[in-house]
Amino acid sequence: MPQKFNSDGVEIAFIDEGEGFPTLLIHGFGSNHRVNWVSTSWMRDLLAAGRRVIALDNRGHGESGKPHDPAAYRLATMAEDSVRLLDHLDVRQADVIGYSMGARIALSLAVAHPDRVRSVALGGLGEAMMKGEVFAPVEPLLAALRARSLDEVSDPRGRTYRTFADQTGSDREALAACVLGARDRLTPADLRKISAPVLVAVGSEDVGAGSAAGLAALIPGAEAFEIPGRDHMKAVGDRAHKAAVLAFLARQGRKDG
């Protein structure tokens, strides 16, 4: 069972396992720590690499609190949940891995609290993050989440999100609030401030995320990795993806030594 702590009035569920340098995992929209990190064997592989692994359920997701107010879901606010979790665990600094929305949160964390982040691995997030709003267009997605059943949803993207929400047993009104609230964006100037090493990994078939190389070019010294033959959903637990991230993290440890 996850542990829980209070993050400025919202209960946040998390797990904390293993020993070694801390690695913080931040999952994507509509997911939770189990779906994103445990069932895909990320937890197993990171623990086997000798790491302390900390994974939270973002507010509105999993076993964390689920406010229905969009104002509770700014990306910067969710990044503060991560910082408070590190504080709660007396962790000064961590390597951070985020996927999709979790990658956006990880970037917000790196910009706002550079001293807390040793390195950042971004998955499922490419240069498209710099174009338009995060969930645009929001109307079909909101309609899909609020429909009485999947049968009422015709929009393909909406059906994908609604199916995933049903599979994970999500609070769909909390997810709708997240869609409306998590729309703040980082600017190119923000990205240029990032001093931590960054790896950007995107599936070669992920049409929505945009180019990994395109985003990496905006972040000083960032590396790019194209996950071969994977779309947005299947790239998460891909072996080549994990191998690239583990090698990236191992290089940070050698720099410390």
Side-chain angles (χ1 to χ4, degrees):
M1 289 291 293
Q3 304 176 60
K4 295 184 179 181
F5 83 106
N6 187 292
S7 179
D8 195 29
V10 177
E11 195 170 55
I12 298 297
F14 68 94
I15 57 173
D16 177 14
E17 299 181 16
E19 299 178 355
F21 194 84
T23 305
L24 176 65
L25 307 180
I26 309 176
H27 66 76
F29 176 75
S31 190
N32 55 59
H33 81 272
R34 288 191 180 90
V35 171
N36 216 143
W37 308 117
V38 178
S39 67
T40 56
S41 299
W42 273 100
M43 284 289 298
R44 180 200 68 192
D45 293 347
L46 288 164
L47 289 170
R51 293 183 158 266
R52 178 182 178 183
V53 186
I54 302 161
L56 77 162
D57 284 344
N58 290 317
R59 56 175 60 204
H61 298 73
E63 297 185 42
S64 289
K66 298 176 178 63
H68 288 181
D69 179 2
Y73 291 96
R74 288 182 59 84
L75 291 175
T77 300
M78 290 191 278
E80 290 302 315
D81 287 336
S82 294
V83 173
R84 294 188 190 106
L85 175 56
L86 295 180
D87 290 342
H88 177 73
L89 297 173
D90 293 322
V91 172
R92 182 185 65 84
Q93 192 178 56
D95 292 322
V96 182
I97 304 174
Y99 195 80
S100 194
M101 184 183 76
R104 298 177 191 277
I105 296 170
L107 276 178
S108 296
L109 175 59
V111 170
H113 298 279
D115 58 318
R116 308 304 295 272
V117 175
R118 185 175 73 165
S119 69
V120 187
L122 308 172
L125 183 69
E127 65 178 339
M129 71 161 291
M130 304 306 298
K131 302 174 183 177
E133 293 187 356
V134 175
F135 292 106
V138 298
E139 290 78 10
L141 180 51
L142 292 174
L145 290 171
R146 289 170 169 163
R148 288 174 296 181
S149 73
L150 181 63
D151 293 338
E152 297 180 0
V153 182
S154 58
D155 178 77
R157 178 167 164 265
R159 285 185 65 87
T160 297
Y161 277 93
R162 174 56 184 266
T163 299
F164 190 51
D166 288 346
Q167 288 173 345
T168 56
S170 297
D171 179 331
R172 291 185 283 106
E173 192 55 41
L175 294 185
C178 184
V179 167
L180 292 169
R183 299 164 74 179
D184 38 331
R185 295 169 56 199
L186 294 173
T187 66
D190 289 327
L191 298 183
R192 286 194 293 270
K193 295 176 185 176
I194 296 175
S195 56
V198 175
L199 173 68
V200 184
V202 177
S204 62
E205 308 305 311
D206 188 340
V207 295
S211 162
L215 176 57
L218 299 175
I219 303 171
E223 305 173 37
F225 177 73
E226 184 176 83
I227 307 164
R230 297 298 192 184
D231 62 17
H232 192 73
M233 299 300 287
K234 293 181 180 179
V236 181
D238 178 80
R239 290 182 181 180
H241 179 200
K242 282 188 281 188
V245 172
L246 286 167
F248 169 76
L249 296 179
R251 291 196 293 276
Q252 313 318 314
R254 287 198 292 272
K255 290 174 186 176
D256 283 352

